[in-house]
Amino acid sequence: MQDPAPKANTPGPLRAAARSFVLRFISGKYQGGEFPIVPEKQIIVGRSSDLDMVLVEDMVSRRHARIALQQDQIWIEDLGSTNGTFVNGEKIKRARLKEGDRVLIGTSILKVIASDAPSEGTSPRRDLESYANERKATQTRTMSGSIEEVPLPDLLQLFGTSKKNGVLYIRTEEDTGKIYMRKGNVYFAVINDVTDVPPMKSLYRMLAWSKGVFDLEPPDPTEFPGEIDVTVQEILMEGLRQLDEFNVIRDKLPPPHARLMIPQPLGRPLRDLSKEELDVFQLVLNEGSMEGVFNKSISTDLDTGSLLQKLLKAGYIESDS
């Protein structure tokens, strides 16, 4: 029977003769560790101490997955694990891997990395144990990493497909976002604890973040007013669409911290404005800033930005930038 390959992995096979490959742990208790992929030698991954790659955690089965480089192709196969094996957010039984693919096993995310030379040094198993011990001494979070290594859309896809529970913290130099997940669905989101901003709007804003670190922490029992129940797929489909369209008009808007004002005297009649334009006009009058208008608007950032652009162009409002 021909080996199936998921549609997400359509590029051609990896050529081991020219390059070597390693599995790099980019999240989880073994973060920073690497495990070489050796031609014609399979790697059995699991919790059992007699395996090749031992991942000591509850969500990993005793014999979880098999990874092997065979005839210039890297394959991964789930061995009937309880919690599943995921490649780029898709649960798999058997799949072909390519450079850059991300594999989720338990709470560890591994990335296929090309290397110019075969790995040398100590035993890969011993190296993983030392990384785990170092991280255990410095932190207790279940999963952490960089959103430059694992972009937030990919991370949400992984957590959604594997039905994670917990609070995903994303920290940038300026902001801290929190995404609350229950069985892989999002039920609340907030940036800098500003609860005036609807959770969906906060989620869509976080999708634009490209730098920062993330931590998945245990579930929080707090109940929030205005909770939602949205699948990751729904968030990504709509959120990324809005982000793409908002990027088109972003440069035509004042910067986020700009002040907004109503010209005195106002030369255009208000009766010419639509209801939505009047709502944004009133927010400018009440809030006086780009940030305030976007946070208080009941419309999406995309719709609010489009309405502000029209009001600025028509001379109903002006900015200090």
Side-chain angles (χ1 to χ4, degrees):
M1 182 175 69
Q2 186 177 3
D3 290 318
K7 59 185 178 181
N9 297 321
T10 52
L14 300 169
R15 297 295 173 184
R19 307 167 77 187
S20 299
F21 295 88
V22 298
L23 295 165
R24 177 179 296 166
F25 287 77
I26 58 176
S27 176
K29 66 186 292 186
Y30 303 98
Q31 184 179 345
E34 292 186 351
F35 204 101
I37 303 174
V38 179
E40 307 306 327
K41 184 180 186 303
Q42 66 180 8
I43 303 167
I44 304 297
V45 185
R47 200 174 67 246
S48 181
S49 60
D50 61 344
L51 301 181
D52 306 292
M53 184 191 293
V54 181
L55 305 181
V56 185
E57 55 175 284
D58 292 341
M59 291 187 66
V60 175
S61 298
R62 291 184 62 80
R63 287 173 59 86
H64 197 107
R66 179 191 292 114
I67 301 169
L69 176 55
Q70 301 171 333
Q71 298 178 346
D72 297 340
Q73 297 180 3
I74 298 178
W75 291 91
I76 183 168
E77 178 184 2
D78 185 80
L79 299 178
S81 65
T82 301
N83 293 299
T85 301
F86 300 84
V87 176
N88 298 330
E90 295 184 12
K91 190 173 185 178
I92 59 97
K93 291 185 177 180
R94 190 168 191 258
R96 189 167 58 187
L97 296 177
K98 65 181 187 298
E99 182 181 352
D101 279 349
R102 299 178 182 89
V103 178
L104 176 65
I105 297 177
T107 63
S108 292
I109 301 176
L110 303 85
K111 187 175 183 180
V112 180
I113 302 291
S115 175
D116 293 331
S119 298
E120 299 178 353
T122 59
S123 158
R125 273 186 57 171
R126 197 173 304 123
D127 285 346
L128 291 185
E129 291 167 5
S130 66
Y131 276 105
N133 290 333
E134 288 175 11
R135 289 178 62 77
K136 185 177 180 181
T138 58
Q139 66 174 10
T140 58
R141 297 185 177 99
T142 57
M143 295 185 73
S144 63
S146 162
I147 59 174
E148 292 174 272
E149 282 272 22
V150 193
L152 186 55
D154 294 358
L155 191 63
L156 287 173
Q157 184 87 343
L158 287 170
F159 291 168
T161 309
S162 54
K163 300 188 183 302
K164 294 289 187 190
N165 295 310
V167 184
L168 178 61
Y169 281 73
I170 306 101
R171 297 175 175 88
T172 71
E173 290 184 357
E174 298 179 348
D175 301 299
T176 297
K178 302 176 191 175
I179 300 176
Y180 295 77
M181 303 192 74
R182 185 185 296 124
K183 294 183 179 179
N185 283 7
V186 175
Y187 67 92
F188 198 72
V190 65
I191 298 175
N192 298 331
D193 293 322
V194 180
T195 55
D196 287 347
V197 181
M200 291 300 294
K201 187 178 288 190
S202 296
L203 274 169
Y204 294 160
R205 290 180 182 180
M206 282 185 261
L207 290 179
W209 296 355
S210 58
K211 293 184 178 180
V213 296
F214 71 84
D215 303 290
L216 181 66
E217 300 196 352
D220 187 331
T222 305
E223 294 184 0
F224 300 97
E227 285 190 4
I228 56 179
D229 183 16
V230 187
T231 67
V232 168
Q233 201 61 34
E234 291 172 316
I235 292 166
L236 296 183
M237 287 180 63
E238 180 60 18
L240 294 177
R241 180 194 70 81
Q242 289 193 25
L243 180 60
D244 286 344
E245 293 186 23
F246 187 77
N247 285 335
V248 174
I249 66 170
R250 185 190 300 273
D251 293 341
K252 301 174 183 177
L253 294 171
H257 299 294
R259 301 295 302 173
L260 298 177
M261 298 156 288
I262 309 296
Q264 297 293 334
L266 182 61
R268 304 290 296 272
L270 293 178
R271 64 175 177 271
D272 291 344
L273 297 180
S274 67
K275 177 182 180 300
E276 292 77 14
E277 290 167 339
L278 280 172
D279 288 342
V280 172
F281 181 88
Q282 184 173 352
L283 285 174
V284 171
L285 190 61
N286 293 343
E287 303 296 329
S289 69
M290 286 285 289
E291 186 176 35
V293 170
F294 274 100
N295 285 348
K296 293 291 187 179
S297 174
I298 61 173
S299 300
T300 66
D301 284 348
L302 173 61
D303 290 342
T304 302
S306 298
L307 292 167
L308 279 170
Q309 184 183 4
K310 290 180 181 178
L311 292 173
L312 284 161
K313 187 176 181 179
Y316 284 99
I317 60 176
E318 55 189 26
S319 107
D320 63 358
S321 64

